[in-house]
Amino acid sequence: MAPNLEDRNSVFEFVVRQANGVKGLVDSGLSTVPEAYVQPPEERIDKENAIKYDLPPIDLSKLDGHGPDHDEVANQIVRAAETLGFFQVVNHGVPLHLLESLKVSAHEFFSLPPQRKAVYLADVSPSPLVKYGTSFIPEKEKALGWKDYILMQYTNDDEALQHWPQEIKEMLLEYLRSSIGMVKKLLQVSLGNLGVKPDDSMIDVLIGKKMLSMIFYPICPNPDLTLGVGRHSDIGTFTVLLQDEVGGLYVKMDQDTGYGKKGDWIHISPTPNALVINVGDMLQILSNGKYKSAEHIVCTSSTNSRVSIPIFIMPRETTKIAPLPQVVEKDGIAVYREFVYVDYINRVFANALDGKKPLDFAKISPA
């Protein structure tokens, strides 16, 4: 039975507890956004005046070998990490047919009956590493996000094949396997620019926790009132993102650059065959603030449903994180203190999304 859209509790019960998700709301025939999803005006952005990101994608094939092509691509990666914190890459090593299949499979998965997805709700899922849900933390949010998702933590292939959803597990494992080489190259370039030559063990620690998600943003009758995902930065090392052709990813400028001013919003327009890479909070901390984990949001559409498939690359939970000594020596001061990564995770997931505020947890207050 469709919920009473005027009653937040009724909407919450239908969407969250009964696992109908936002898609279930849309399928019920609603013509306006329920009050539970209306974002405060200060959280919305002016999409019409957002800047279109039109820099060409970075060709990662040129990182193979040495010489001027390698150095130029490395410089492009570093410049992007230092300014916007987002960039797009091609020739990344992930098969192009797989990218297309992933997008199709995401739409198919979220079209499954609610009872098929409900088996992965947090309190009944066969594994704590697999979770189906909606919004971010619905119990803590003033306004819900217009999205549904399935989230999987990777530990090993055997566990993934046993517990991940049958319809998508093989494809997602191939996506992860074919992305790791690219992530390692990006980390080598990023750390190398900071004066650090990471060995395999260092890289393994910084990419030791991996989570994959399929996210579905249904058509929205009032997209100007809602957000798919509110303002936040990603909490890991890097995020690899496959987005479809619909668009809707907006990034906030952290500083003035040649293509925007601090506070401007930039639309990361989809590029065929490309993956989006963004810097996470841990890389910002390791670099002592040199690299930027950009605040970003996802807006909704009144004409098309959107899917995205991110891989969240994070350090192992037990890792001690602090600015790299080589960077602190050069800068003369550490901007962030040392902490254990799991404490950062717990702090983020104890609250609703709030821009880049989680970084305050690690900042050293001025004397």
Side-chain angles (χ1 to χ4, degrees):
M1 187 174 71
N4 176 2
L5 299 182
E6 305 295 322
D7 182 350
R8 185 183 177 100
N9 290 333
S10 176
V11 170
F12 189 92
E13 178 70 23
F14 178 84
V15 172
V16 179
R17 294 200 179 95
Q18 296 177 16
N20 289 287
V22 182
K23 186 178 187 301
L25 273 184
V26 174
D27 290 347
S28 72
L30 84 173
S31 57
T32 59
V33 168
E35 189 65 32
Y37 288 90
V38 175
Q39 295 285 336
E42 63 272 17
E43 294 298 320
R44 308 173 208 164
I45 69 166
D46 181 3
K47 292 180 288 186
E48 297 301 318
N49 289 315
I51 300 166
K52 182 179 179 181
Y53 182 84
D54 57 5
L55 293 180
I58 298 172
D59 183 354
L60 293 186
S61 67
K62 296 179 181 179
L63 277 181
D64 299 327
H66 302 280
D69 283 349
H70 172 280
D71 294 346
E72 173 55 28
V73 168
N75 287 334
Q76 290 173 2
I77 292 167
V78 167
R79 285 199 300 269
E82 290 177 341
T83 53
L84 187 60
F86 271 75
F87 51 98
Q88 300 194 71
V89 297
V90 292
N91 294 322
H92 36 62
V94 182
L96 300 185
H97 70 83
L98 176 61
L99 299 184
E100 295 308 308
S101 297
L102 282 164
K103 290 183 279 190
V104 171
S105 294
H107 279 284
E108 290 175 347
F109 178 82
F110 288 101
S111 294
L112 293 171
Q115 57 270 27
R116 175 69 187 100
K117 294 173 284 190
V119 299
Y120 297 108
L121 287 171
D123 54 351
V124 297
S125 177
S127 168
L129 304 180
V130 183
K131 178 188 175 184
Y132 171 75
T134 187
S135 195
F136 179 63
I137 306 177
E139 295 81 4
K140 294 181 179 291
E141 294 169 299
K142 294 179 181 178
L144 300 176
W146 196 262
K147 73 164 187 178
D148 302 326
Y149 67 86
I150 182 82
L151 178 68
M152 294 137 290
Q153 181 172 330
Y154 176 82
T155 52
N156 57 65
D157 284 8
D158 288 344
E159 190 160 64
L161 290 171
Q162 181 179 355
H163 294 300
W164 290 10
Q166 178 72 31
E167 299 85 353
I168 54 179
K169 61 185 180 183
E170 298 276 5
M171 198 172 298
L172 286 172
L173 278 174
E174 185 181 356
Y175 178 41
L176 176 62
R177 290 189 203 107
S178 57
S179 297
I180 290 302
M182 167 188 62
V183 170
K184 290 181 176 179
K185 289 179 184 179
L186 294 173
L187 203 47
Q188 287 166 344
V189 168
S190 304
L191 296 181
N193 177 66
L194 300 174
V196 178
K197 290 187 176 180
D199 57 19
D200 289 345
S201 62
M202 182 180 184
I203 288 179
D204 287 345
V205 167
L206 294 177
I207 68 170
K209 182 179 174 72
K210 306 170 187 74
M211 302 189 79
L212 296 86
S213 186
M214 281 186 165
I215 308 174
F216 183 71
Y217 304 94
I219 288 175
C220 180
N222 308 105
D224 292 337
L225 299 179
T226 62
L227 290 173
V229 184
R231 301 174 187 228
H232 70 288
S233 57
D234 290 352
I235 67 172
T237 307
F238 277 115
T239 299
V240 177
L241 175 72
L242 170 62
Q243 61 170 343
D244 65 13
E245 299 73 26
V246 175
L249 174 61
Y250 292 81
V251 179
K252 189 177 182 180
M253 290 293 304
D254 189 66
Q255 59 189 349
D256 292 351
T257 69
Y259 49 88
K261 296 180 180 179
K262 182 177 181 178
D264 285 346
W265 287 91
I266 295 182
H267 183 220
I268 308 295
S269 304
T271 298
N273 303 327
L275 291 168
V276 178
I277 308 295
N278 66 280
V279 172
D281 290 350
M282 295 308 103
L283 193 55
Q284 176 165 328
I285 292 168
L286 290 167
S287 70
N288 208 33
K290 186 177 181 68
Y291 298 141
K292 312 298 182 187
S293 63
E295 182 176 325
H296 55 285
I297 63 172
V298 176
C299 294
T300 57
S301 168
S302 61
T303 55
N304 296 98
S305 295
R306 176 182 185 265
V307 294
S308 66
I309 302 103
I311 305 174
F312 301 105
I313 305 291
M314 297 170 275
R316 293 175 188 159
E317 291 190 358
T318 55
T319 305
K320 290 183 178 179
I321 301 292
L324 294 164
Q326 296 90 333
V327 185
V328 175
E329 182 179 353
K330 183 178 179 181
D331 292 349
I333 189 171
V335 179
Y336 302 98
R337 64 178 179 85
E338 183 181 84
F339 58 92
V340 179
Y341 183 52
V342 70
D343 293 337
Y344 193 91
I345 295 174
N346 291 339
R347 187 175 182 87
V348 168
F349 284 92
N351 300 285
L353 294 173
D354 193 8
K356 294 187 68 172
K357 193 171 182 181
L359 277 166
D360 292 343
F361 168 75
K363 279 184 180 174
I364 296 175
S365 301

